[in-house]
Amino acid sequence: MNDVEINQQIKQMQQFIHQEAAEKASEIKLKADEEFNIEKLRMVEAEKAKIRAEYERKEKQIEVQKRISQSNEVRLGRLRCLKARDDAMQAILAETAAKLPSLTAGSGYASLLEKLILEALIRIDEAKVSVRGVAGQAPAAQKACTAAAAKYKDWAAKNKDAAFASSIEVAWDSSPLAAGIGGVEVSGFGGKISLTNTLQSRLMLAYETRLPKLRAALFA
């Protein structure tokens, strides 16, 4: 084999090696590109999932805040409604209370006063009691007290024993009530139990017992 043939073989071997190297490099590059693309896709999908999760979290947070806001609005609306109703009821109570003084100047006050005293005497249900009225009404209250005491004795004669009825003593207390428009206070059991039966107390009793009906009539 001459030198020319040897050189040709060497060149062929070099070309083969270069070709092998180029193919190997191409294969490595292709695989690297494939792995890169896979990793890039994975990272993109992971980032998309992260963004979706964050979006859903914020969307839920907005929905929760919206519900809380709506609930607060409903609650505040109810509170405003309740306050408006209460203000209306208090206005009616104040308007009615303002009319009480006119009752004491009417022709029917003497009869009303007598009924208030008799009712209090029966509720106290004691033989020895004292009665006192509001300031400035002593003459009318004393007169009503005398008539109510007689009716109280009649009531006791029918509903209690004879000993109780015969021992009844209804005394007039000249010290007036500290406050009040009309009515009386009856005390029994040595002053340990007192029952206030004034126009104000009867108004409040009527207001409290009829409050549901009043609300139904006004706000139904």
PDB file of all heavy atoms in Angstrom, residues 198-210:
ATOM      1  N   THR A 198    -100.580  54.632  89.957  1.00  0.00           N
ATOM      2  CA  THR A 198    -100.726  55.979  89.408  1.00  0.00           C
ATOM      3  C   THR A 198    -101.076  55.895  87.928  1.00  0.00           C
ATOM      4  O   THR A 198    -101.031  54.820  87.318  1.00  0.00           O
ATOM      5  CB  THR A 198     -99.424  56.772  89.575  1.00  0.00           C
ATOM      6  OG1 THR A 198     -98.384  56.108  88.854  1.00  0.00           O
ATOM      7  CG2 THR A 198     -99.026  56.878  91.035  1.00  0.00           C
ATOM      8  N   LEU A 199    -101.400  57.041  87.359  1.00  0.00           N
ATOM      9  CA  LEU A 199    -101.718  57.072  85.930  1.00  0.00           C
ATOM     10  C   LEU A 199    -100.504  56.657  85.096  1.00  0.00           C
ATOM     11  O   LEU A 199    -100.648  55.959  84.089  1.00  0.00           O
ATOM     12  CB  LEU A 199    -102.180  58.477  85.521  1.00  0.00           C
ATOM     13  CG  LEU A 199    -103.478  58.979  86.175  1.00  0.00           C
ATOM     14  CD1 LEU A 199    -103.847  60.349  85.632  1.00  0.00           C
ATOM     15  CD2 LEU A 199    -104.624  58.004  85.957  1.00  0.00           C
ATOM     16  N   GLN A 200     -99.304  57.076  85.535  1.00  0.00           N
ATOM     17  CA  GLN A 200     -98.092  56.691  84.797  1.00  0.00           C
ATOM     18  C   GLN A 200     -97.865  55.190  84.851  1.00  0.00           C
ATOM     19  O   GLN A 200     -97.528  54.565  83.842  1.00  0.00           O
ATOM     20  CB  GLN A 200     -96.856  57.419  85.355  1.00  0.00           C
ATOM     21  CG  GLN A 200     -96.868  58.912  85.113  1.00  0.00           C
ATOM     22  CD  GLN A 200     -97.344  59.653  86.351  1.00  0.00           C
ATOM     23  OE1 GLN A 200     -98.258  59.198  87.046  1.00  0.00           O
ATOM     24  NE2 GLN A 200     -96.730  60.792  86.611  1.00  0.00           N
ATOM     25  N   SER A 201     -98.031  54.597  86.056  1.00  0.00           N
ATOM     26  CA  SER A 201     -97.790  53.160  86.191  1.00  0.00           C
ATOM     27  C   SER A 201     -98.805  52.362  85.378  1.00  0.00           C
ATOM     28  O   SER A 201     -98.467  51.345  84.770  1.00  0.00           O
ATOM     29  CB  SER A 201     -97.840  52.747  87.667  1.00  0.00           C
ATOM     30  OG  SER A 201     -99.146  52.897  88.199  1.00  0.00           O
ATOM     31  N   ARG A 202    -100.040  52.834  85.321  1.00  0.00           N
ATOM     32  CA  ARG A 202    -101.061  52.138  84.532  1.00  0.00           C
ATOM     33  C   ARG A 202    -100.796  52.288  83.032  1.00  0.00           C
ATOM     34  O   ARG A 202    -101.017  51.361  82.253  1.00  0.00           O
ATOM     35  CB  ARG A 202    -102.452  52.678  84.873  1.00  0.00           C
ATOM     36  CG  ARG A 202    -102.893  52.388  86.298  1.00  0.00           C
ATOM     37  CD  ARG A 202    -102.696  50.924  86.651  1.00  0.00           C
ATOM     38  NE  ARG A 202    -103.474  50.053  85.807  1.00  0.00           N
ATOM     39  CZ  ARG A 202    -104.647  49.537  86.151  1.00  0.00           C
ATOM     40  NH1 ARG A 202    -105.167  49.804  87.333  1.00  0.00           N
ATOM     41  NH2 ARG A 202    -105.290  48.734  85.331  1.00  0.00           N
ATOM     42  N   LEU A 203    -100.280  53.456  82.658  1.00  0.00           N
ATOM     43  CA  LEU A 203     -99.927  53.663  81.254  1.00  0.00           C
ATOM     44  C   LEU A 203     -98.803  52.708  80.840  1.00  0.00           C
ATOM     45  O   LEU A 203     -98.875  52.073  79.782  1.00  0.00           O
ATOM     46  CB  LEU A 203     -99.495  55.113  81.026  1.00  0.00           C
ATOM     47  CG  LEU A 203     -98.931  55.424  79.629  1.00  0.00           C
ATOM     48  CD1 LEU A 203     -99.972  55.138  78.549  1.00  0.00           C
ATOM     49  CD2 LEU A 203     -98.451  56.870  79.549  1.00  0.00           C
ATOM     50  N   MET A 204     -97.777  52.597  81.690  1.00  0.00           N
ATOM     51  CA  MET A 204     -96.655  51.709  81.373  1.00  0.00           C
ATOM     52  C   MET A 204     -97.099  50.257  81.360  1.00  0.00           C
ATOM     53  O   MET A 204     -96.640  49.465  80.524  1.00  0.00           O
ATOM     54  CB  MET A 204     -95.520  51.907  82.381  1.00  0.00           C
ATOM     55  CG  MET A 204     -94.801  53.240  82.245  1.00  0.00           C
ATOM     56  SD  MET A 204     -94.229  53.582  80.557  1.00  0.00           S
ATOM     57  CE  MET A 204     -93.137  52.179  80.265  1.00  0.00           C
ATOM     58  N   LEU A 205     -98.002  49.885  82.267  1.00  0.00           N
ATOM     59  CA  LEU A 205     -98.519  48.515  82.296  1.00  0.00           C
ATOM     60  C   LEU A 205     -99.298  48.220  81.013  1.00  0.00           C
ATOM     61  O   LEU A 205     -99.112  47.163  80.390  1.00  0.00           O
ATOM     62  CB  LEU A 205     -99.423  48.324  83.517  1.00  0.00           C
ATOM     63  CG  LEU A 205    -100.079  46.940  83.652  1.00  0.00           C
ATOM     64  CD1 LEU A 205     -99.016  45.867  83.815  1.00  0.00           C
ATOM     65  CD2 LEU A 205    -101.048  46.923  84.838  1.00  0.00           C
ATOM     66  N   ALA A 206    -100.141  49.163  80.612  1.00  0.00           N
ATOM     67  CA  ALA A 206    -100.905  48.980  79.381  1.00  0.00           C
ATOM     68  C   ALA A 206     -99.976  48.933  78.169  1.00  0.00           C
ATOM     69  O   ALA A 206    -100.171  48.129  77.249  1.00  0.00           O
ATOM     70  CB  ALA A 206    -101.914  50.115  79.225  1.00  0.00           C
ATOM     71  N   TYR A 207     -98.964  49.780  78.190  1.00  0.00           N
ATOM     72  CA  TYR A 207     -97.996  49.823  77.075  1.00  0.00           C
ATOM     73  C   TYR A 207     -97.255  48.502  76.945  1.00  0.00           C
ATOM     74  O   TYR A 207     -97.121  47.950  75.845  1.00  0.00           O
ATOM     75  CB  TYR A 207     -97.010  50.968  77.323  1.00  0.00           C
ATOM     76  CG  TYR A 207     -95.914  51.067  76.292  1.00  0.00           C
ATOM     77  CD1 TYR A 207     -96.154  51.591  75.027  1.00  0.00           C
ATOM     78  CD2 TYR A 207     -94.623  50.632  76.589  1.00  0.00           C
ATOM     79  CE1 TYR A 207     -95.142  51.685  74.082  1.00  0.00           C
ATOM     80  CE2 TYR A 207     -93.607  50.723  75.650  1.00  0.00           C
ATOM     81  CZ  TYR A 207     -93.872  51.253  74.404  1.00  0.00           C
ATOM     82  OH  TYR A 207     -92.871  51.336  73.469  1.00  0.00           O
ATOM     83  N   GLU A 208     -96.787  47.972  78.069  1.00  0.00           N
ATOM     84  CA  GLU A 208     -95.989  46.741  78.045  1.00  0.00           C
ATOM     85  C   GLU A 208     -96.843  45.514  77.699  1.00  0.00           C
ATOM     86  O   GLU A 208     -96.405  44.638  76.954  1.00  0.00           O
ATOM     87  CB  GLU A 208     -95.299  46.544  79.391  1.00  0.00           C
ATOM     88  CG  GLU A 208     -94.204  47.570  79.648  1.00  0.00           C
ATOM     89  CD  GLU A 208     -93.693  47.532  81.078  1.00  0.00           C
ATOM     90  OE1 GLU A 208     -94.206  46.704  81.860  1.00  0.00           O
ATOM     91  OE2 GLU A 208     -92.800  48.330  81.415  1.00  0.00           O
ATOM     92  N   THR A 209     -98.058  45.454  78.241  1.00  0.00           N
ATOM     93  CA  THR A 209     -98.899  44.278  77.990  1.00  0.00           C
ATOM     94  C   THR A 209     -99.497  44.288  76.585  1.00  0.00           C
ATOM     95  O   THR A 209     -99.751  43.230  76.011  1.00  0.00           O
ATOM     96  CB  THR A 209    -100.039  44.196  79.024  1.00  0.00           C
ATOM     97  OG1 THR A 209    -100.774  45.429  79.008  1.00  0.00           O
ATOM     98  CG2 THR A 209     -99.485  43.941  80.411  1.00  0.00           C
ATOM     99  N   ARG A 210     -99.692  45.474  76.029  1.00  0.00           N
ATOM    100  CA  ARG A 210    -100.300  45.562  74.697  1.00  0.00           C
ATOM    101  C   ARG A 210     -99.290  45.895  73.603  1.00  0.00           C
ATOM    102  O   ARG A 210     -99.683  46.165  72.461  1.00  0.00           O
ATOM    103  CB  ARG A 210    -101.403  46.619  74.710  1.00  0.00           C
ATOM    104  CG  ARG A 210    -102.533  46.272  75.668  1.00  0.00           C
ATOM    105  CD  ARG A 210    -103.634  47.307  75.620  1.00  0.00           C
ATOM    106  NE  ARG A 210    -104.689  46.990  76.592  1.00  0.00           N
ATOM    107  CZ  ARG A 210    -105.782  47.725  76.767  1.00  0.00           C
ATOM    108  NH1 ARG A 210    -105.953  48.811  76.036  1.00  0.00           N
ATOM    109  NH2 ARG A 210    -106.685  47.374  77.656  1.00  0.00           N
TER     110      ARG A 210
END
